[in-house]
Every structure is written in C-alpha cells, then in structure tokens.
Amino acid sequence: NAYLEHQEKVYSYAQKEREDRQEIESGKVFDYLVVGAGLYGAVFANEACKAGKTAVVIDKRDHIGGNVYTSRRDNIDVHEYGAHIFHTSDKKVWEYVNQYAEFNHYINSPVARYKDELYNLPFNMNTFSKMWGLYTPEQVQAKIEEQRAEYIAQKKKERGLAPEEAFVPQNLEEQAISLAGTDIYEKLIREYTQKQWGRPCTELPAFIIRRLPLRFTYDNNYFNDRYQGIPIGGYTQMVEKLLSGVPVMTGIDYRTFAKKYAGKYRKVIYTGPIDEYFDYRLGHLQYRTVRFETEELDMPNFQGNAVVNYTGSEAPWTRIIEHKWFEFGKDLEGNDLPKTIISREYSTEWQPGMEPYYPVNDEANMKLYEQYKKLAEKEPGVLFGGRLGTYRYYNMDQVILQAWEMAEKELKTRILVGSV
Ligand code: FAD
C-alpha cells in the first residue's frame, strides 16, 4: 500500500511539475515571483492565491520546503537539514499549520551524553538529581548557589574586587558558571559550546548566554510552548499542500529565472540571502553552518531517543539525531520499523558556497546587514523576507508570522484561521 501510494505521489508530482512548467511558459504574467520554496515563500504564495493574486514559486534546490524539507527513506521521514520540531504558543499559527498537516504529539526531550554519563535536558530536576544524587528543589538550589558563590568570590579576588562590588562576567565561561555553577558548566556546557562555536568559552562573549533556564521541576519537555508536534508523514507534505494550486519550479536560481522569464512577473518576494542578491557588493554576511553525516543502520534502535547531545570533547559531533523517534518509530500504518537512520551533526564555520544556517548577529555583521537593508528598501519591485532575506534566526512559527505580516501589508488581506 505504502509503495503504491508513493508511486502515485511521484506520478502526480511529476504531472504537477509538467503542468506548472507549461503555465510558467505560457503568456501569463504573474503578480508575484516568490524566490525560495521554504516556509516563508510557501505561506506567502498560499496567501497571495487566497487573495486572488497569481504567484509562481522557484527554488534553486531541487525540492520544495527549504530547510524544513524531509525525505522519506525506508518509511522514515529524514529531516535533511537538521531536526525540526514545531512549537508555538500562538493559537492562530497552530490552527493554520493544522490545516495543512496532521501533527503528532511528539514532545522534544533531548538527552545529553557526557562521556558515559547520560543526563536529561533541559536542565531540570532529573538532570540535577542524576548529577548530585539530590532529590528536592531546595537541596539543588543550595548546591548551585554554593558553586556560584564560590566561583564568584574566587573571581573577585583575582580581579582585586571587594566582596560587595558587582561581578560582571567577561566571557561565556564566567557567565555560564555564575548562572549555573561549575558542575553543570563543565559537564553540559563547556565542550558542547566550544564545538558549536569552534572557540573556547573563555574566548566567546558573555552575551551568547543571556539566561540559562534552570527548571526546578521534574520536566524534560524542552520547549515552554503551548503547542508542539511533528507533521505526520513529514514537513514536505505540509509545504506541498501550502503550494497546491501554485506553480513551482525547482532547481533554478533567481538570476537564471529572471533572465529566462523576464517580464513574466510584476513583483518579487525574495527569501534568499540578502547579500547574495546584491552580489556581495558590500561584503559577505557571516553564518555558522552544520554538516550532516547521515547513515542508515540495520538495527531497530540506535540511541532510544530522537535527539542526543554530545557534551564532551570525546565526540567531534554536537548531536546525533535518530529520525524515526520523531514519529515514535512507526511507519504511517503504525508498524514498527526494522531499520533506523541517524544523522551526526558537526558545527562548522561557514564559507561561501556552503549552506548558510545560523546568522552571526554580532555588531559587525548587523552593521553590514543594516547597509544591505538600506539597499533593499530602494530596490524597486523587490521585497525581502524569511530568515535569509532579513538575516535573522527564526523558528518556524516566527517565519509564518513574518510571512503573514508581509501578506497583510502587501495583499491588503487579513489572515483568518478557524477560531482565531
Ligand atoms: P529557508 O527554509 O531557508 O528557505 C529559503 C529557500 O530559498 C531555500 O530553499 C533556498 O534554496 C532558496 N533560495 C535561496 N537563494 C535562492 C536563489 N538565489 N534562487 C532560488 N532560490 C533560492 N525552527 C523551529 O521552529 N523548530 C526547530 O526545531 C528548528 N530547527 C532548526 C534546525 C536547524 C539546523 C536550522 C538551520 C533551523 C531550524 N529551525 C527550526 C528554523 C527553520 O528552519 C526556519 O524557521 C525556516 O526554515 C525558515 O524558512 P525560510 O523560508 O525563511 O528559509
């Protein structure tokens, strides 16, 4: 059944691609060319169609979905660009996405592995009681306070500060220990952060960790949001639904499309990198990126959890994702899956030509972005959006809100969803 369904989908998708191409190549002039078939582009195009406008969506990758793209391998939905967990406290966003996908009840509860010790994340009573053999919040708070106070006193002495003078952390190490104490820092923060940023914590600015949420309850749910889950059958299906009725062309870059189909659209919604649009004329914006090493294993269960963070330096990767656990290890018909697929994630410095993932929103990069933004505001007929177009990290729900904002302004429409 699953095979036939898959074949049917491949067939209908190929047919849609053919029809889309015919439509694009016909004499039709579209109201919008949406560059990027990620969540932002798909939501905007969807709203444009609902508002009676026409849109064509293109992407330089050979698939839709942008970074939320999932591919089905061995009946497992593989998150090809990193684990994506949908979470939001916005009821309207939740109802909106539920129109396009059925979500399961997945709750993100990562585990941290430090050498051969395992700890629950986020930092909560399960983590603390494993670390110190303590049971009550009061005991744990006292323990953390004792470690913080000892460290801060020592640092003040080193800096020649009087006990009543304020201690201002000068780097990420000082910030983390003064918030969470030495044990948590050494086992769960130090080496993990160093792997993420490629530099020791003593050379990283304190502001990277503004707060360190410590939970004094036995609660392993990583997110505080009201709604959470994974679209059953993957994210690609959800984006497909958002784009049904919208012609799409993948595997084509904006410049190539613009040359080939000049005059076939009135306005551009651009969700690619803003600096690339302007041919990097003011310089490159910087990103951190992640390299994924994905492996199929002939075993049913590799690590027993979707997300395991490796917080020690003995492993060069930051995390291992075991994709099947996002859907409870079952196929779409509820059968157990005999195999598994894992991805090791390596955090690396971004170089031109690599996938840009996390914008480095430090002072120098933000200054450069502001200059590009000024150029963008003067660019006739082009509007910039999405995480690359505005050089900001957005969660999926935030990107949807951003696309709605653009749609409401540009299409003079109001986003209406179910009860909200
Ligand atoms: P994208 O998805 O990047 O889409 C932009 C598209 O534009 C791309 O497909 C690109 O190929 C295309 N493009 C770029 N330039 C051109 C061009 N010149 N011509 C044609 N096409 C072009 N959010 C959550 O809520 N939960 C999570 O758990 C989560 N995990 C994440 C994990 C990782 C590793 C990363 C990097 C992000 C994660 N996010 C998560 C954030 C989420 O991925 C983004 O919010 C969302 O994908 C942004 O959508 P977008 O449309 O703005 O960008």
Side-chain angles (χ1 to χ4, degrees):
N1 264 0
Y3 178 75
L4 284 178
E5 243 173 57
H6 175 72
Q7 288 302 92
E8 213 171 276
K9 254 186 107 198
V10 170
Y11 175 74
S12 61
Y13 200 70
Q15 193 177 349
K16 181 178 183 305
E17 267 192 326
R18 263 198 311 277
E19 287 168 8
D20 286 356
R21 186 171 280 274
Q22 276 169 11
E23 196 176 341
I24 293 163
E25 287 177 350
S26 71
K28 187 166 170 179
V29 176
F30 293 89
D31 294 314
Y32 294 98
L33 164 63
V34 179
V35 179
L39 213 44
Y40 185 97
V43 168
F44 181 87
N46 179 290
E47 290 305 324
C49 289
K50 281 196 217 150
K53 301 283 183 191
T54 53
V56 53
V57 177
I58 63 161
D59 204 297
K60 66 178 176 190
R61 294 175 181 172
D62 61 3
H63 57 75
I64 58 167
N67 276 2
V68 309
Y69 172 69
T70 46
S71 69
R72 175 86 44 89
R73 303 196 220 167
D74 284 326
N75 281 325
I76 299 170
D77 292 310
V78 178
H79 296 216
E80 296 285 352
Y81 300 94
H84 277 74
I85 298 119
F86 200 95
H87 57 99
T88 187
S89 289
D90 190 310
K91 188 171 185 199
K92 190 166 165 179
V93 169
W94 183 241
E95 290 198 359
Y96 184 82
V97 290
N98 274 272
Q99 291 178 331
Y100 300 98
E102 188 185 341
F103 280 72
N104 70 16
H105 60 284
Y106 177 82
I107 297 284
N108 197 33
S109 314
V111 167
R113 181 163 168 182
Y114 176 76
K115 300 198 166 104
D116 286 326
E117 298 168 23
L118 288 172
Y119 294 97
N120 289 108
L121 293 176
F123 307 138
N124 72 84
M125 284 300 294
N126 290 304
T127 329
F128 308 138
S129 74
K130 175 84 185 276
M131 192 162 292
W132 299 310
L134 301 174
Y135 307 101
T136 68
E138 206 179 6
Q139 292 170 325
V140 166
Q141 278 160 333
K143 180 85 181 169
I144 293 174
E145 193 43 45
E146 178 195 312
Q147 294 193 353
R148 291 181 61 234
E150 200 180 306
Y151 178 78
I152 292 172
Q154 171 68 24
K155 280 279 152 185
K156 280 187 180 171
K157 216 161 142 195
E158 278 170 29
R159 277 190 211 157
L161 292 172
E164 65 281 5
E165 281 183 274
F167 170 69
V168 181
Q170 300 294 310
N171 56 47
L172 194 143
E173 175 170 292
E174 293 182 358
Q175 173 79 338
I177 302 178
S178 61
L179 289 169
T182 26
D183 287 345
I184 303 269
Y185 171 71
E186 274 163 20
K187 291 190 171 181
L188 300 176
I189 300 174
R190 181 173 54 198
E191 286 155 15
Y192 186 77
T193 311
Q194 179 165 335
K195 282 190 272 186
Q196 267 189 322
W197 291 93
R199 272 191 283 159
C201 292
T202 45
E203 290 174 21
L204 288 166
F207 77 80
I208 294 182
I209 298 189
R210 282 214 177 86
R211 323 177 290 122
L212 255 181
L214 303 175
R215 260 186 217 161
F216 298 102
T217 51
Y218 288 91
D219 178 6
N220 295 330
N221 180 355
Y222 195 78
F223 299 114
N224 286 317
D225 284 318
R226 199 162 148 200
Y227 309 103
Q228 186 172 172
I230 302 278
I232 298 171
Y235 285 91
T236 308
Q237 283 190 17
M238 181 177 100
V239 179
E240 253 170 46
K241 288 211 179 97
L242 278 163
L243 289 173
S244 73
V246 180
V248 177
M249 199 183 266
T250 53
I252 189 158
D253 178 72
Y254 169 60
R255 296 257 177 256
T256 315
F257 188 92
K259 220 182 260 168
K260 202 164 166 195
Y261 300 102
K264 282 191 166 282
Y265 50 89
R266 298 190 178 92
K267 247 180 171 176
V268 177
I269 304 292
Y270 193 85
T271 76
I274 189 166
D275 55 344
E276 185 189 286
Y277 179 90
F278 292 106
D279 291 322
Y280 309 104
R281 72 174 80 148
L282 306 172
H284 279 276
L285 288 166
Q286 288 177 310
Y287 292 87
R288 287 291 295 172
T289 192
V290 185
R291 183 169 63 80
F292 301 101
E293 233 176 54
T294 298
E295 204 182 332
E296 186 182 310
L297 302 174
D298 207 2
M299 57 162 74
N301 191 355
F302 173 73
Q303 63 185 16
N305 204 36
V307 183
V308 177
N309 290 11
Y310 281 75
T311 60
S313 58
E314 71 283 359
W317 49 83
T318 47
R319 307 197 297 183
I320 298 185
I321 304 300
E322 189 169 7
H323 301 268
K324 70 193 296 185
W325 301 121
F326 287 122
E327 298 183 64
F328 310 108
K330 307 270 186 203
D331 69 12
L332 293 177
E333 276 144 18
N335 305 306
D336 289 329
L337 291 159
K339 289 187 184 169
T340 195
I341 298 180
I342 60 164
S343 297
R344 291 188 178 81
E345 296 186 356
Y346 300 83
S347 179
T348 56
E349 197 75 48
W350 178 82
Q351 304 282 340
M354 286 178 170
E355 284 295 340
Y357 281 127
Y358 300 104
V360 180
N361 295 116
D362 62 10
E363 215 176 294
N365 280 290
M366 286 316 286
K367 220 165 138 189
L368 184 56
Y369 167 66
E370 286 303 323
Q371 289 172 299
Y372 275 119
K373 195 173 155 213
K374 283 204 181 99
L375 286 182
E377 280 158 7
K378 285 190 228 134
E379 192 68 5
V382 185
L383 298 166
F384 292 79
R387 64 180 191 104
L388 299 167
T390 54
Y391 193 60
R392 264 192 71 180
Y393 179 84
Y394 288 111
N395 279 323
M396 291 179 272
D397 60 333
Q398 295 169 312
V399 114
I400 291 172
L401 285 167
Q402 206 204 28
W404 283 357
E405 197 184 314
M406 172 74 87
E408 293 199 317
K409 208 155 99 196
E410 178 61 21
L411 306 164
K412 315 270 180 295
T413 181
R414 270 203 65 215
I415 313 291
L416 296 170
V417 190
S419 64
V420 268

